[in-house]
């Protein structure tokens, strides 16, 4: 009997920790989320473009990457990685967190009008390197990447344009 109760407890704990609904995608561990919460800059995207009705709450977390070496004879932040937190406005909201594949420095972000329920699209432009890195190292490529983020509480699609 004790073995059955122990097995059932372990099974339920495993489901609660790693099962459906934990909301984290594309991150093998929680280290990135810990960095986002502790040292990341939060950008509340719903405050942008008030003329567009927003069907979801969307927050962007900008987290400095610490493992790059693009500065000449010094250290600094070369790029940022980004996490997007999405939630519905329901009494029991659906929530999710996604990690963007594209890194860089946020240059521009704009909402795209869409009438679908619990769905948003954002046009995002990211410079490959931070402005400080480009000033310090003239050999860096200053190219920008434009992406379209398609977000819902259940999925994210990142389309490079």
């Amino acid at each position: 009997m004790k073995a059955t109760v122990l097995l059932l407890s372990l099974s339920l704990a495993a489901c609660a920790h790693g099962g459906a609904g934990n909301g984290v995608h594309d991150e093998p561990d929680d280290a990135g989320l810990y960095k986002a919460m502790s040292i990341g800059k939060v950008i509340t995207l719903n405050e942008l473009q008030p003329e567009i009705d927003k069907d979801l709450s969307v927050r962007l977390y900008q987290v400095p990457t610490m493992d790059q070496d693009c500065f000449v004879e010094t250290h600094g932040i070369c790029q940022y990685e980004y996490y997007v937190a999405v939630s519905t406005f329901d009494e029991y909201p659906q929530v999710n967190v996604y990690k963007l594949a594209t890194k860089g420095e946020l240059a521009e972000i704009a909402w795209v009008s869409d009438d679908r329920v619990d769905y948003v699209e954002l046009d995002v432009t990211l410079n490959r390197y931070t402005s400080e890195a480009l000033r310090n190292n003239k050999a860096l490529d200053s190219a920008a990447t434009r992406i379209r983020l398609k977000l819902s509480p259940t999925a994210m699609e990142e389309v490079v344009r």
Side-chain angles (χ1 to χ4, degrees):
M1 180 68 175
K2 288 181 182 179
T4 304
V5 171
L6 180 62
L7 183 60
L8 180 61
S9 297
L10 290 173
S11 175
L12 289 173
C15 289
H17 177 68
N22 69 351
V24 180
H25 294 277
D26 301 327
E27 182 69 23
D29 60 14
D30 292 334
L33 290 176
Y34 286 127
K35 288 191 291 184
M37 297 301 295
S38 60
I39 62 173
K41 175 184 174 186
V42 181
I43 304 166
T44 305
L45 300 181
N46 289 66
E47 296 171 357
L48 302 175
Q49 296 172 275
E51 69 278 3
I52 296 178
D53 288 332
K54 279 81 171 186
D55 208 30
L56 293 172
S57 173
V58 183
R59 293 185 178 123
L60 186 68
Y61 290 83
Q62 177 179 283
V63 182
T65 58
M66 306 293 190
D67 61 345
Q68 296 177 329
D69 188 22
C70 66
F71 279 71
V72 177
E73 297 181 7
T74 186
H75 295 285
I77 298 168
C78 298
Q79 295 178 318
Y80 294 96
E81 59 187 3
Y82 294 91
Y83 293 85
V84 180
V86 178
S87 74
T88 61
F89 291 113
D90 302 335
E91 183 177 348
Y92 299 103
Q94 291 180 307
V95 299
N96 220 328
V97 176
Y98 305 105
K99 182 178 179 182
L100 272 62
T102 309
K103 294 180 182 181
E105 182 178 53
L106 183 64
E108 186 177 338
I109 192 158
W111 287 79
V112 177
S113 287
D114 196 293
D115 292 335
R116 289 179 267 188
V117 176
D118 294 341
Y119 177 85
V120 298
E121 290 190 9
L122 299 166
D123 281 336
V124 180
T125 303
L126 294 169
N127 294 326
R128 181 170 294 165
Y129 294 102
T130 63
S131 55
E132 293 84 13
L134 291 171
R135 278 194 300 272
N136 177 271
N137 187 347
K138 303 297 182 196
L140 295 175
D141 181 9
S142 62
T145 303
R146 294 186 62 212
I147 58 174
R148 167 79 48 103
L149 288 181
K150 300 176 180 185
L151 299 166
S152 75
T154 57
M156 179 190 80
E157 184 180 359
E158 183 178 348
V159 180
V160 177
R161 303 176 80 203

